Amino acid sequence: MTLVAAGGSGVRLAAMEKKALDATVLPYDHAAMGSKAGLRILADMPTLVPSFPDKVIIMRRSFVQKERDTVKRFLQGLSEAIYEISVSPEKGMSVLSKRLNVKDPKVIEENYNTYGRLFAFPSRVGRKGMDGVLEQIQQQSGGAKSDFEFARFVDETIIDELEREGFFQRINQK
C-alpha cells in the first residue's frame, strides 16, 4: 500500500470518483455523497471503535489558563446545543438545513441521523478510544509509556467543574 497526501476531503472524494485513488478516509457528509455516487463504505470508525476520538476540541493550555471563563462559557453553549439537538430531531434538522444551506429533507435527515448520535452529553473524550490512539502513537514512536498518559493530553477539569455545579443536571431537567 502507498499512502499519499491527496488534499482535502472534497479533493479526495473527486479523486475517488475518477479512480485516481483506491481508498481514502472521508468525513460523513462526503462519505454519504460518495456512497450515492456508487463508492463503497468499508468501515465506519464510530462503529469499529465507538469511543474513537474523532470529534474533539483542541485548545492551547495557555489559552485555557488565561481565558478559563471564556472556555467554560463555550463548553456550556456547546453542551446546551448538543443536548437540544439530541432531544429534538426537528430542531437539529432545522439547524442543519440552515447552516448547510440544504433544502433536501432526505439529505438533512441523513446528516442528522449520522451526526445527531455522535456527540456525548456531557461532552467528554471517549477514554477507551483515546487510550487506544495514545497506545498506537507510543508504540510507533518508541517513546516511554508514561509520555502518553491520558491526563497529559486531555484536560476535562472544566467539564468536571460544570458537573459539580449541576450544569448538566439543570439542562436535563428543562
Side-chain angles (χ1 to χ4, degrees), residues 28-138:
Y28 292 104
D29 54 343
H30 285 95
M33 291 175 2
S35 180
K36 285 181 182 172
L39 299 174
R40 190 167 167 202
I41 296 175
L42 298 177
D44 180 22
M45 286 309 293
T47 303
L48 294 174
V49 184
S51 59
F52 185 79
D54 65 338
K55 300 159 297 300
V56 296
I57 299 165
I58 300 172
M59 296 179 192
R60 286 186 184 86
R61 289 183 196 275
S62 60
F63 180 79
V64 174
Q65 291 167 348
K66 290 178 190 171
E67 300 291 339
R68 189 168 178 85
D69 287 340
T70 301
V71 173
K72 186 174 179 179
R73 286 192 309 275
F74 170 78
L75 290 173
Q76 287 173 315
L78 178 67
S79 297
E80 286 181 32
I82 288 170
Y83 180 79
E84 286 295 322
I85 286 171
S86 70
V87 299
S88 174
E90 301 79 24
K91 190 179 281 188
M93 287 188 272
S94 173
V95 169
L96 280 172
S97 179
K98 181 179 177 182
R99 296 292 178 204
L100 297 177
N101 197 24
V102 174
K103 304 299 177 216
D104 184 341
K106 276 191 166 188
V107 171
I108 293 302
E109 188 173 354
E110 277 180 25
N111 272 277
Y112 178 80
N113 289 337
T114 298
Y115 291 109
R117 65 181 168 85
L118 294 178
F119 297 97
F121 179 82
S123 303
R124 291 192 179 274
V125 174
R127 185 173 192 113
K128 185 176 179 182
M130 187 66 175
D131 282 341
V133 168
L134 292 173
E135 183 179 327
Q136 286 179 356
I137 295 169
Q138 183 265 326

Side-chain angles (χ1 to χ4, degrees), residues 61 124-125 130 134 149-157:
R61 289 183 196 275
R124 291 192 179 274
V125 174
M130 187 66 175
L134 292 173
E149 292 178 358
F150 183 85
R152 185 162 180 236
F153 293 88
V154 178
D155 177 358
E156 294 184 324
T157 57

